[in-house]
Amino acid sequence: MKLEDFPKDIRPFIIPNHDGDLIYRCLGCDLECGIEKLLYTCPDCGQVLMIHDLNWERLKKISGEVWRRIFDYRKMLTIPALKGIYLYHEFLGPVIPLDAVIYLGEGHTPIIEANDYLQKKTDVRFYFKNDGQNPSASFKDRGMASALSYISFLVKKGVVSDILAVCASTGDTSAAAALYASFLQPHVKSAVLLPHKKVTPQQLSQPLGSGAAVFEIPGVFDDCMKIVEMLSENYSVALLNSKNAWRILGQESYSYEIAQAFEYNMEEKVVVLPIGNAGNITAVISGFLKFYETGVIDSLPKILGVQSEHANPVYRYYLEPDAANRKFVPMVVKSSVAQAAMIGNPVSMPRVIHLVDRYNRKSGRQNVFFVEVSEQSIMDWSLLANRNGHIACTHGGESLAGLVTAREQNIVDGNEVVIVDSTAHALKFSGFQDMYFSQSFPEEFKITPAPGLVNTPIYIHPSDLAKVPASGNPLQGNDLKHFVKRTAEEIAKNLGLKKVTKA
Ligand SMILES: *Cc1c(COP(=O)(O)O)cnc(C)c1O
Ligand SMILES: [Zn+2]
């Protein structure tokens, strides 16, 4: 839609102006620093940073009603820079000029309602929001679109050049980082550190295909993270892990999209997320708070964070009901099918503690909950979801297993409508499905395949067939006829098909 065709009162707001005034603020000591520099932790106390808009109050001068119309009308624009996360420009990047925005098709992922079977089975009405339908097939693209748009902005301003972007990753961060960085080559190059044999073949192929330098490190993600921190403290590199507060900003778009998809009515809604490094839950909570404070939404949805029993430091922290007695203890993780969330010492834990407290206070009640789930239930629920029309990755399965657990514990009640985050595409983690189907899960996962969920290919080669076709070697004449007839018969027998008698 052309600008002149928008309603008169909305027209001045349709193209965002970049009148935000962003700063980094330390969560530990409140130190504020300018954003002209790439900064990841507080130069004074080393704590993580959040990005704040000193000019935030200006957004409150526009009513919630007008904001809702701005976002809804903005969807009709054809400007690429406003088609992704920057549809909500004022809320997540109000200093980034549109010509610096990197848009590769991220965001606005579909929200798909579960069929009757799944809703009966779980006893709750729910939808999957498929963040696997982002360009690199996980939600990490939201944060990278933000972080790389910011870098592109600095490059355009001439503040930086020849950037080497680095990250440690459980697989998806590096896929996203490498993809977005490659768009900005030759100004930006990327290097990624992965725990050796702890990412899937698909995840490994992604940064390789994007041309990143890929390093495989012994150990788990937490070890890679330490090395990346050492690199960022001693060398001139841009850190793209979720320590990078720009990534959190970009990931807030997930909340804005949910609000918009439900016509900004967040009453009796629940959002379920898996937790690894805790960047995602940080962003989602922060996003809903921003929409709430500006009147875009009138109530805050319930947030449910889910962790596997094999990597559950956040869940353990909140087991202690008395906030004063809570103590964060990093843990040693065990193998998990929710491999991208296999993190024992989440970088964003201070952000979680800060934001959960604020969220509950603003809600006037406890509104953030945490549950843990077994590896078995993660696999079973992701497979069952996918047998019912979904494309959930194991983390989507983890979210769904968490929802079922929360429903059983009455954390979620039958009237609520739930949005379940499937954080990546099922195909990225299909190796776990293979292990399930071929009964070859290593002992440490403690997973026993349920026969009803197992599915394997059936090779059809009737024993009485002397000749079968091969590539480059087709059958002809009677050989072909015989082959087709016998193979069809075999398949019909296998499926129990009855022959139709021709009239
Ligand atoms: C990164 C990731 C997670 C965990 O998100 P955090 O922000 O680290 O908590 C979950 N699922 C998938 C598919 C991921 O890539
Ligand atoms: Zn500080």
Side-chain angles (χ1 to χ4, degrees):
M1 188 153 136
K2 292 197 185 67
L3 203 51
E4 58 267 31
D5 297 331
F6 286 90
K8 267 215 173 71
D9 62 322
I10 293 297
R11 226 177 285 164
F13 302 108
I14 281 293
I15 308 294
N17 49 26
H18 29 277
D19 55 0
D21 186 4
L22 301 189
I23 45 123
Y24 297 112
R25 186 181 293 153
C26 171
L27 265 185
C29 70
D30 283 334
L31 179 78
E32 295 185 350
C33 303
I35 56 151
E36 347 37 83
K37 266 203 306 195
L38 295 159
L39 212 57
Y40 315 105
T41 49
C42 175
D44 274 7
C45 78
Q47 263 277 23
V48 283
L49 306 166
M50 295 282 282
I51 294 171
H52 283 275
D53 189 346
L54 293 176
N55 206 3
W56 171 251
E57 293 300 314
R58 83 194 184 286
L59 301 184
K60 295 186 183 165
K61 293 197 185 115
I62 297 173
S63 71
E65 168 65 26
V66 170
W67 276 124
R68 296 192 281 268
R69 294 181 64 223
I70 293 172
F71 297 136
D72 291 347
Y73 275 112
R74 212 174 257 170
K75 277 205 156 174
M76 292 189 235
L77 278 177
T78 51
I79 301 170
L82 295 172
K83 286 221 132 328
I85 61 169
Y86 288 107
L87 183 89
Y88 314 100
H89 185 271
E90 294 87 344
F91 286 73
L92 54 70
V95 294
I96 312 278
L98 296 191
D99 67 354
V101 165
I102 310 299
Y103 169 66
L104 300 184
E106 64 286 343
H108 306 284
T109 50
I111 299 181
I112 309 298
E113 186 165 10
N115 64 9
D116 289 346
Y117 175 84
L118 277 179
Q119 304 213 18
K120 277 216 184 76
K121 186 107 182 148
T122 53
D123 191 25
V124 61
R125 184 158 167 224
F126 76 95
Y127 299 73
F128 268 110
K129 182 159 170 68
N130 286 334
D131 257 24
Q133 282 170 267
N134 276 299
S136 82
S138 88
F139 77 85
K140 300 293 200 301
D141 293 329
R142 297 175 180 277
M144 288 305 165
S146 168
L148 273 300
S149 293
Y150 167 63
I151 289 178
S152 135
F153 165 53
L154 295 184
V155 169
K156 274 198 184 334
K157 268 186 24 175
V159 181
V160 296
S161 59
D162 289 329
I163 298 238
L164 178 65
V166 296
C167 67
S169 174
T170 52
D172 294 331
T173 297
S174 53
L179 175 65
Y180 282 78
S182 72
F183 192 81
L184 281 172
Q185 70 90 13
H187 306 292
V188 179
K189 292 193 176 61
S190 68
V192 305
L193 277 69
L194 302 170
H196 184 51
K197 297 217 162 112
K198 288 284 174 214
V199 305
T200 72
Q202 296 88 329
Q203 290 173 319
L204 180 59
S205 83
Q206 290 185 291
L208 288 171
S210 295
V214 177
F215 299 97
E216 295 187 282
I217 312 288
V220 294
F221 168 81
D222 297 296
D223 303 300
C224 292
M225 190 63 214
K226 288 257 174 331
I227 296 163
V228 162
E229 279 169 358
M230 176 69 77
L231 286 171
S232 76
E233 280 155 24
N234 292 287
Y235 302 88
S236 165
V237 294
L239 186 66
L240 285 184
N241 272 90
S242 52
K243 267 209 169 152
N244 184 327
W246 291 94
R247 284 199 38 215
I248 306 292
L249 271 190
Q251 289 172 203
E252 288 172 0
S253 58
Y254 188 81
S255 304
Y256 305 150
E257 289 171 21
I258 289 175
Q260 191 169 19
F262 287 90
E263 276 152 4
Y264 308 98
N265 178 4
M266 288 291 100
E267 227 148 277
E268 311 233 288
K269 301 290 188 308
V270 184
V271 178
V272 188
L273 317 146
I275 306 175
N277 227 354
N280 200 23
I281 193 164
T282 297
V284 168
I285 291 178
S286 170
F288 281 122
L289 279 171
K290 284 188 185 174
F291 259 22
Y292 183 65
E293 281 165 13
T294 45
V296 184
I297 54 176
D298 299 326
S299 56
L300 289 166
K302 188 176 286 176
I303 306 286
L304 177 66
V306 187
Q307 294 208 292
S308 159
E309 289 167 354
H310 285 186
N312 59 357
V314 181
Y315 169 77
R316 288 183 192 199
Y317 175 84
Y318 283 102
L319 270 183
E320 166 59 54
D322 183 356
N325 289 335
R326 283 181 196 140
K327 196 170 168 296
F328 181 72
V329 190
M331 69 177 287
V332 176
V333 295
K334 292 195 214 130
S335 295
S336 172
V337 296
Q339 194 165 257
M342 226 179 90
I343 295 173
N345 190 11
V347 157
S348 284
M349 194 62 205
R351 292 173 174 144
V352 173
I353 295 169
H354 173 81
L355 282 164
V356 166
D357 180 52
R358 238 181 89 205
Y359 200 83
N360 286 335
R361 271 189 288 119
K362 288 261 178 196
S363 302
R365 61 176 189 284
Q366 183 183 0
N367 213 11
V368 185
F369 296 83
F370 300 90
V371 293
E372 65 169 353
V373 295
S374 67
E375 289 293 311
Q376 179 80 44
S377 68
I378 297 175
M379 272 320 286
D380 291 350
W381 280 108
S382 65
L383 293 172
L384 193 65
N386 295 348
R387 291 175 80 101
N388 284 274
H390 297 283
I391 49 169
C393 66
T394 44
H395 314 78
E398 180 178 23
S399 298
L400 182 54
L403 169 58
V404 171
T405 305
R407 183 75 193 91
E408 283 162 8
Q409 297 176 2
N410 275 319
I411 294 172
V412 172
D413 77 47
N415 302 324
E416 288 174 307
V417 172
V418 184
I419 298 94
V420 176
D421 191 352
S422 179
T423 43
H425 198 289
L427 289 176
K428 280 210 189 206
F429 298 91
S430 63
F432 293 114
Q433 176 181 292
D434 295 344
M435 283 193 228
Y436 195 100
F437 291 173
S438 62
Q439 322 253 352
S440 60
F441 258 115
E443 163 62 26
E444 72 231 45
F445 287 93
K446 307 236 175 332
I447 289 174
T448 311
L453 289 175
V454 170
N455 201 5
T456 49
I458 303 156
Y459 186 58
I460 303 281
H461 186 165
S463 52
D464 58 332
L465 274 183
K467 290 185 188 161
V468 292
S471 85
N473 232 338
L475 292 184
Q476 259 137 22
N478 277 341
D479 285 344
L480 179 62
K481 267 193 204 146
H482 189 53
F483 166 74
V484 170
K485 180 167 177 286
R486 284 294 298 115
T487 307
E489 280 168 3
E490 256 336 89
I491 290 172
K493 192 169 114 199
N494 187 283
L495 291 173
L497 302 181
K498 290 217 175 64
K499 194 145 188 178
V500 285
T501 38
K502 286 192 191 123

